[in-house]
Amino acid sequence: MTNKNSYDIIKTLLRTEKAQALEPLRKYLFLVDKSSDKAQIKNAVEEIYKVKVDSVNTRIVPGKLRRVRIKAGYQPDRKKAFVTLKEGSKIDIT
């Protein structure tokens, strides 16, 4: 098993309408490395954003079929992490 740092595990904080609707509930949506597990994601979020994480739920989103001119191909699969923070914790987006 390779030793990854926090910035290799957490790729980006997703800022979609659905993700923004979850923020008042202390839930944030991250795009993460496909090989990372929940414990690694929890430690990475706590280290990067200096918050306390309550729970982590993950989901692998299958890639979509895309066509470019005459060729068809697939986008790669992605892994999303729904991170719930403990009471009183908040990620400052600005």
Side-chain angles (χ1 to χ4, degrees):
M1 183 173 169
T2 60
N3 190 7
K4 296 181 181 182
N5 69 19
S6 298
Y7 293 99
D8 291 335
I9 295 170
I10 304 293
K11 293 182 181 178
T12 186
L13 175 68
L14 293 178
R15 302 290 296 156
T16 61
E17 288 182 29
K18 191 174 204 176
Q20 288 178 348
L22 296 173
E23 288 177 9
L25 304 172
R26 299 181 330 272
K27 294 185 180 190
Y28 295 88
L29 185 60
F30 293 93
L31 189 63
V32 297
D33 183 48
K34 261 180 46 174
S35 63
S36 59
D37 60 7
K38 292 181 181 185
Q40 290 174 331
I41 295 168
K42 177 181 177 179
N43 292 335
V45 170
E46 287 179 347
E47 183 180 327
I48 293 171
Y49 293 102
K50 308 290 190 255
V51 293
K52 294 293 181 186
V53 175
D54 189 28
S55 67
V56 177
N57 295 323
T58 59
R59 177 171 185 240
I60 294 180
V61 181
K64 297 180 180 178
L65 175 67
R66 295 290 186 212
R67 291 178 46 184
V68 177
R69 298 189 185 179
I70 5 179
K71 295 185 178 181
Y74 282 89
Q75 290 181 325
D77 296 345
R78 302 179 300 161
K79 186 172 190 176
K80 291 181 182 180
F82 295 86
V83 176
T84 305
L85 302 181
K86 289 191 177 181
E87 191 72 41
S89 295
K90 180 182 175 185
I91 294 177
D92 187 22
I93 304 298
T94 58

